[in-house]
Amino acid sequence: MTNEQLKKLEKDLWDSANSLRAYGGLKAADYAVPVLGLIFLRFAENKYSHYEPEILKEFEAEKGTRLERPIHSIALAKCGFYLPDFARYDYLLELPGDESLAKALRKAMEGIEEFQDDKFKDVLPKEAYFDIEKKKADILPQLLKTFSDIPVDATGDVFGKIYEFFLGEFAMSEGQKGGEFFTPTSVVRFIVEVIEPYAGKIYDPACGSGGMFVQSATFVKEANHDLNDIYVYGQEYMGETARLAKMNLMVNNIRGEIIETNSYENDPYAGLGKFDFVMANPPFNVKSVKESTVKNDERFYKYGLPKNKGKKTNDSITDANYLWISLFATSLNANGRAGFVMPNSASDAGNSEYEIRKKIVDSGIVDCMVSMPSNMFLTVTLPATLWFFDKQKINKDRKDQILFIDARNTYHQIDRAHREWKEEHIQNLTAIVRLYRGENERYLELISQYISQANEAMEKVPTAFNEYWTLIQQTIIKLQNYTRDSKTKHKPDAFKKIVESGLLQKIDELTLPNLSVSVITQNELTASNNQQLAYSKELSVYTDQLKEIDTALKISKDTLFKVLVLADKQVKVKNDKDWNGFGLNGLKQIEQLQQNWKDCTDQVCYYQANIDWLQSRFPEAKYADVVGLCNVADRTEYVEEQDYSLSAARYVGVVLDAENITNEEFKHKIEIKSLEFRKMSLKALELENSIENNLKNLF
């Protein structure tokens, strides 16, 4: 299944399921868990069907021998779970209409869990289906039918992506509450790309629905490593969210465990110095934690506790942000890396937080700080900061250096209230980190990948152009042929009216510029920086030509469409059989071919823009400080000059030249300024009216 097909499937499934939610008058909170349970059932059916021939073969071979085992034991060894007949998706789909599907689903879920390890018991939803059935009896059968559209050959990866997609959509529907269990995928992907959890123990003490673990598994698979090389450990305070996370592990075939517990109070994994990787998006600015809860736990007190100084008897910690930061630092083993989210305020917090930050910075483990755009999270609109620790850094040349990246202007606007990082944003920002680490060859590999993607898109351009250009040209010729006979087809008065409208003259004047496109001669040798720079220069010239051709084509197409509209108005051509005979009703097809042409050229331009974004900032394929984007600060700067501040804006500076922002960023800023101007104008008008009324009343 291609990425485009998967995206379409995700959207179709969501649209279908979401319409049933609206039809049943259900809230997303009531609907999310049971729907995710149905996705799991469909996944279980597909996976079990794949292993079933092997399971049955082994069961028959052992029957009657000393080695005979029950079928569920063989299934657990082969597939990871046993699927009883009454839990099969087709069985549930074909259940008679007079039977309770909610009861059948509860029995199916219980049947799967009966043979699972204890850590995966009581995970699947059971009772929630009765609430849905009570509201409207036909919703569950329709939902089952909806998810039967997932292809029978869909792999675990496909199910994992669908499950994660639905988690994100439900989180978006829930708004503030949704952010408690879901961290946007693009943020998690960037964290994973920076800390690179290829193998080892991965810990998330505020794991929500398990998104950090899923993206870690995706990273491992994309790097062609063995998924069995990682083992995940999660803690989650909310019981229902912990169950979502456990389901997420099962769907994505990830080894690990999730424990429902409060991370301030309990340390179920004896985690001090244990983990290779720590990732988290913990709750911000929690002020309810008692000092007595954490004061004897080295995970929290090693760098100091965030508490008020003086004679106050209040047992509360001032703010839990630095409890989390300490927990992440102390949970790492000697080679560990951590990546986590913090509010911007934590980067410059004073008092006891300052003392903790000073000790952590002096320990040498702070590797990188990334300022994020606002509106990247569902729970907060203010920008946050990503912190990265690296225990190995203290033994390397950069032990007294910290990389600061200001990524506040790097984003894709999803809608008015939400932003994200596209895959290329993630890769470009990660490239900066890798250059800072001296991994220059990986930067060249990324540029080479972009060149390959641009070439792949470029190969489709000539065909898209020829189809689009040819249809416009053919339409013009057919239109002009039609007009030659128009004098004999219309009565003299009607023809005179057509002539006076200028239609015939406009048709005669229709022309299409003599345009052509080709592709750049593809040079396979684009491994070195000089070769890549030379190729991208050619690519830049090529994309400029595409934009010029697109402008010329658009003018010709728009002129043609205006003439066709006028023709229909003057002679009602759509009802003319000769008009149809000439094939002049192809406006929709022209628009489709125009869109195809635009999609192809946009792809080429998109990858060229990403190549240029990197090469214009790092022309030597080596790390360099870039004003407004990144800076490597040494100890003198971050200790003596900035007094242990970890705010990227203090280090990277500001770009004064407005031309250095992207069109998307400029457009967004203009929209914001325009909105502010309209508000101020309305306020001014209100004040003006108020003054005028007061003057009238006065006199």
Side-chain angles (χ1 to χ4, degrees):
M1 181 176 289
T2 66
N3 195 49
E4 290 76 17
Q5 290 170 329
L6 176 60
K7 293 294 177 192
K8 184 179 185 307
L9 177 61
E10 288 172 342
K11 184 181 182 304
D12 290 346
L13 291 173
W14 172 255
D15 289 346
S16 179
N18 205 36
S19 66
L20 288 172
R21 176 180 69 84
Y23 164 69
L26 298 164
K27 293 183 295 184
D30 303 324
Y31 187 67
V33 174
V35 163
L36 292 167
L38 293 182
I39 293 175
F40 173 81
L41 269 184
R42 186 65 176 146
F43 156 76
E45 174 76 30
N46 276 32
K47 185 175 180 182
Y48 195 80
S49 297
H50 177 75
Y51 285 100
E52 192 168 23
E54 294 179 43
I55 294 169
L56 292 174
K57 182 179 179 182
E58 197 157 320
F59 177 70
E60 290 299 327
E62 292 180 0
K63 190 182 289 187
T65 70
R66 287 188 302 110
L67 300 174
E68 183 176 351
R69 290 177 294 166
I71 194 166
H72 68 259
S73 296
I74 301 171
L76 284 170
K78 293 275 184 187
C79 179
F81 58 85
Y82 173 60
L83 200 62
D85 290 342
F86 55 82
R88 304 299 290 257
Y89 204 88
D90 288 343
Y91 168 83
L92 295 166
L93 202 58
E94 295 166 8
L95 209 64
D98 57 348
E99 290 193 35
S100 168
L101 189 51
K103 282 185 181 178
L105 286 168
R106 179 173 63 185
K107 185 180 178 184
M109 299 299 185
E110 289 172 344
I112 295 172
E113 286 186 346
E114 181 183 350
F115 303 101
Q116 277 294 331
D117 295 340
D118 287 343
K119 64 184 178 183
F120 285 121
K121 293 271 179 79
D122 197 28
V123 170
L124 301 175
K126 303 174 188 73
E127 304 306 320
Y129 297 110
F130 289 92
D131 295 332
I132 294 177
E133 191 170 70
K134 204 178 296 180
K135 289 230 174 185
K136 283 193 184 296
D138 60 340
I139 291 180
L140 288 178
Q142 289 183 63
L143 275 175
L144 270 178
K145 189 173 184 308
T146 292
F147 293 113
S148 68
D149 290 341
I150 299 175
V152 293
D153 59 348
T155 62
D157 285 351
V158 169
F159 276 96
K161 287 172 181 172
I162 292 172
Y163 188 90
E164 195 76 358
F165 174 80
F166 268 72
L167 276 174
E169 291 297 319
F170 281 126
M172 190 82 78
S173 302
E174 283 290 274
Q176 181 81 12
K177 189 181 177 199
E180 294 174 5
F181 70 81
F182 186 80
T183 304
T185 301
S186 66
V187 177
V188 183
R189 274 195 62 77
F190 178 64
I191 292 174
V192 169
E193 288 288 338
V194 172
I195 69 173
E196 300 183 303
Y198 288 114
K201 300 182 181 73
I202 304 172
Y203 179 49
D204 183 349
C207 71
S209 57
M212 298 280 181
F213 301 141
V214 172
Q215 292 306 320
S216 296
T218 300
F219 177 83
V220 168
K221 286 184 281 189
E222 287 177 352
N224 294 320
H225 284 244
D226 192 337
L227 193 55
N228 289 324
D229 288 343
I230 64 171
Y231 194 92
V232 305
Y233 300 80
Q235 291 169 221
E236 172 52 44
Y237 180 62
M238 304 297 292
E240 189 171 272
T241 306
R243 287 190 284 277
L244 284 177
K246 290 180 179 181
M247 257 202 290
N248 216 352
L249 295 193
M250 293 171 76
V251 168
N252 286 280
N253 200 29
I254 300 170
R255 297 188 313 131
E257 45 202 284
I258 310 288
I259 293 178
E260 181 187 337
T261 187
N262 186 323
S263 293
Y264 305 122
E265 300 173 359
N266 298 309
D267 181 17
Y269 305 122
L272 186 67
K274 177 175 182 174
F275 301 103
D276 300 285
F277 304 97
V278 174
M279 294 181 286
N281 176 22
F284 293 172
N285 306 322
V286 175
K287 301 185 185 301
S288 59
V289 182
K290 300 295 184 184
E291 183 184 345
S292 56
T293 304
V294 295
K295 68 179 181 180
N296 297 318
D297 191 333
E298 190 178 349
R299 297 178 304 152
F300 297 110
Y301 73 66
K302 181 174 181 177
Y303 297 101
L305 292 174
K307 58 184 182 178
N308 288 314
K309 294 181 179 178
K311 298 180 180 179
K312 294 184 179 179
T313 58
N314 188 350
D315 184 35
S316 292
I317 293 294
T318 54
D319 191 307
N321 290 339
Y322 270 81
L323 286 181
W324 288 109
I325 293 171
S326 294
L327 174 61
F328 303 145
T330 57
S331 296
L332 292 173
N333 61 28
N335 297 312
R337 282 179 174 175
F340 54 91
V341 189
M342 274 288 131
N344 276 1
S345 58
S347 303
D348 285 306
N351 302 319
S352 56
E353 284 92 342
Y354 166 83
E355 297 299 331
I356 298 170
R357 185 170 67 253
K358 182 178 176 182
K359 289 177 183 176
I360 291 175
V361 170
D362 284 342
S363 73
I365 68 172
V366 180
D367 191 29
C368 180
M369 302 290 296
V370 181
S371 294
M372 299 178 62
S374 58
N375 295 77
M376 291 282 280
F377 295 91
L378 302 174
T379 48
V380 289
T381 56
L382 294 174
T385 299
L386 294 176
W387 295 46
F388 293 96
F389 293 161
D390 187 350
K391 282 288 192 76
Q392 296 182 58
K393 173 176 167 274
I394 59 178
N395 302 316
K396 297 187 178 180
D397 293 341
R398 64 178 198 279
K399 64 180 180 179
D400 292 325
Q401 296 178 334
I402 299 174
L403 170 64
F404 292 91
I405 299 175
D406 189 345
R408 288 176 296 174
N409 291 322
T410 302
Y411 59 82
H412 167 68
Q413 195 79 30
I414 304 172
D415 54 39
R416 184 186 59 81
H418 299 97
R419 296 169 175 169
E420 67 175 359
W421 280 326
K422 287 189 171 183
E423 181 62 24
E424 287 68 35
H425 290 139
I426 295 167
Q427 295 303 324
N428 294 347
L429 293 171
T430 306
I432 300 173
V433 179
R434 289 171 179 164
L435 286 174
Y436 154 70
R437 291 173 178 165
E439 300 171 357
N440 299 357
E441 72 287 346
R442 298 183 73 178
Y443 167 89
L444 295 175
E445 287 171 6
L446 179 60
I447 297 290
S448 183
Q449 177 185 318
Y450 286 163
I451 288 174
S452 296
Q453 289 169 306
N455 287 339
E456 189 177 327
M458 201 188 331
E459 289 175 358
K460 301 174 184 176
V461 169
T463 301
F465 168 79
N466 288 332
E467 290 176 347
Y468 178 35
W469 187 91
T470 301
L471 187 56
I472 294 176
Q473 179 78 320
Q474 287 175 347
T475 305
I476 290 173
I477 292 170
K478 289 175 181 178
L479 184 59
Q480 290 171 345
N481 290 338
Y482 173 83
T483 61
R484 289 195 189 100
D485 300 329
S486 62
K487 186 173 182 179
T488 59
K489 290 180 179 295
H490 299 94
K491 293 178 180 178
D493 288 345
F495 182 70
K496 182 181 179 182
K497 186 180 177 183
I498 294 171
V499 172
E500 289 173 351
S501 72
L503 173 62
L504 298 181
Q505 183 180 347
K506 284 183 170 60
I507 291 174
D508 284 338
E509 290 173 353
L510 282 175
T511 58
L512 183 61
N514 188 18
L515 304 170
S516 63
V517 296
S518 57
V519 294
I520 302 173
T521 303
Q522 296 182 20
N523 186 350
E524 297 296 330
L525 299 175
T526 52
S528 75
N529 188 47
N530 287 337
Q531 290 167 338
Q532 290 180 351
L533 287 168
Y535 190 80
S536 64
K537 190 174 180 180
E538 285 186 65
L539 190 58
S540 181
V541 172
Y542 179 76
T543 54
D544 286 343
Q545 290 172 348
L546 290 182
K547 290 170 188 174
E548 290 173 5
I549 291 170
D550 183 62
T551 301
L553 279 170
K554 189 176 186 305
I555 291 170
S556 297
K557 177 251 179 184
D558 289 348
T559 304
L560 172 62
F561 273 39
K562 286 177 184 176
V563 171
L564 290 171
V565 169
L566 181 60
D568 188 45
K569 182 179 179 182
Q570 292 298 324
V571 295
K572 310 297 181 189
V573 290
K574 287 185 181 176
N575 299 323
D576 188 333
K577 65 178 185 342
D578 292 329
W579 181 269
N580 294 327
F582 271 115
L584 290 167
N585 281 332
L587 303 194
K588 187 175 180 182
Q589 189 182 0
I590 290 175
E591 288 182 327
Q592 289 172 342
L593 292 176
Q594 181 189 28
Q595 187 60 50
N596 183 49
W597 152 259
K598 189 175 185 310
D599 290 344
C600 291
T601 55
D602 281 355
Q603 278 287 92
V604 180
C605 294
Y606 178 73
Y607 288 113
Q608 187 275 326
N610 279 286
I611 293 168
D612 182 65
W613 193 91
L614 287 168
Q615 290 184 334
S616 63
R617 290 161 174 80
F618 309 102
E620 296 182 10
K622 297 177 182 176
Y623 177 81
D625 291 340
V626 179
V627 176
L629 177 63
C630 59
N631 178 271
V632 173
D634 59 22
R635 187 169 177 80
T636 300
E637 192 171 358
Y638 62 72
V639 171
E640 297 176 16
E641 297 177 16
Q642 299 296 345
D643 194 23
Y644 291 95
S645 168
L646 293 179
S647 174
R650 289 193 177 214
Y651 298 88
V652 304
V654 178
V655 178
L656 297 177
D657 183 2
E659 291 183 359
N660 279 311
I661 66 174
T662 66
N663 290 337
E664 187 177 21
E665 292 162 2
F666 180 77
K667 181 181 176 184
H668 180 66
K669 287 184 178 182
I670 290 296
E671 287 172 349
I672 296 296
K673 296 292 183 186
S674 176
L675 184 61
E676 291 173 354
F677 176 76
R678 286 198 293 274
K679 288 180 180 177
M680 293 170 70
S681 297
L682 290 171
K683 185 67 175 175
L685 185 61
E686 290 173 8
L687 289 170
E688 184 181 331
N689 291 334
S690 178
I691 292 168
E692 188 175 341
N693 290 332
N694 288 338
L695 287 171
K696 284 179 181 178
N697 292 333
L698 183 64
F699 296 106

